Amino acid sequence: MPGAPADRASLLRGQGESGGAELAAVISRLRRAMRRAARAADPGASLSVAQLELLSCLAENPGARPGQLARLLRIAPSSEATLAGGLRRAGLITRSGGERDRRTASLSLTRAGEAAVSRWQQVNERLVRRAITELSPASRGAVESALPALRDLAGLIDALADAPPPGPTGPPPA
């Protein structure tokens, strides 16, 4: 019977026909719900999710170069340049070095950029805290128990993003 605990466990291990489809769908829905709820909770926020992601990435990687940010975010360098340019004009990031070639510059958050990241994180933390209080005690316990595994899963998915694409890496057979 689909949905039984044994079936769910095999899906989470990547087995069965869905191979993690249910977990991927829940994560996608959770991300959308978080974005929507954050916008509703902070209607004055003027930054896009892409801008907030770049700011957050820069907070985690201070002094990163534009190309590094593009790789970390898996976006085109031109998209990173557009986002960073807007954030620089808004006074949220600064660029140092790279006078001749902006690709060699390092980027840093300004105090206003740090405040924007902090505000976004606080809004999200309040949303999660509020929603968790609405869960049943059993569900709250399950979420708490799942945190270490979800941290591990996030790390493994990050590693997949950095891994070379699957397939042959050498010349084709003769």
Side-chain angles (χ1 to χ4, degrees):
M1 161 185 266
D7 291 336
R8 284 209 172 120
S10 68
L11 287 176
L12 294 176
R13 286 191 303 270
Q15 300 169 349
E17 291 180 26
S18 299
E22 183 178 7
L23 180 59
V26 168
I27 291 169
S28 292
R29 181 161 183 254
L30 181 60
R31 290 182 67 215
R32 281 190 310 275
M34 291 288 298
R35 282 194 304 266
R36 287 186 44 201
R39 288 290 182 209
D42 192 8
S46 59
L47 298 174
S48 70
V49 172
Q51 289 171 315
L52 289 164
E53 288 290 337
L54 191 140
L55 289 174
S56 295
C57 187
L58 193 52
E60 294 168 7
N61 301 278
R65 293 187 171 153
Q68 290 171 306
L69 287 174
R71 280 190 300 283
L72 288 167
L73 294 169
R74 291 293 204 196
I75 59 175
S78 60
S79 297
E80 183 281 331
T82 300
L83 288 168
L87 293 169
R88 244 186 9 269
R89 286 188 296 280
L92 300 173
I93 64 172
T94 59
R95 182 175 71 202
S96 58
E99 284 74 25
R100 293 184 177 200
D101 184 355
R102 70 176 178 209
R103 293 174 297 178
T104 63
S106 65
L107 302 175
S108 301
L109 293 175
T110 63
R111 288 188 197 270
E114 291 170 355
V117 171
S118 179
R119 179 178 171 170
W120 188 44
Q121 290 170 339
Q122 289 171 7
V123 165
N124 282 294
E125 288 168 17
R126 280 194 306 270
L127 290 168
V128 170
R129 203 174 312 118
R130 183 174 173 195
I132 284 176
T133 64
E134 299 293 322
L135 289 174
S136 69
S139 289
R140 273 196 306 272
V143 169
E144 187 175 317
S145 296
L147 288 175
L150 290 171
R151 268 190 229 100
D152 291 347
L153 181 61
L156 291 168
I157 292 172
D158 267 343
L160 289 173
D162 296 332
T169 56

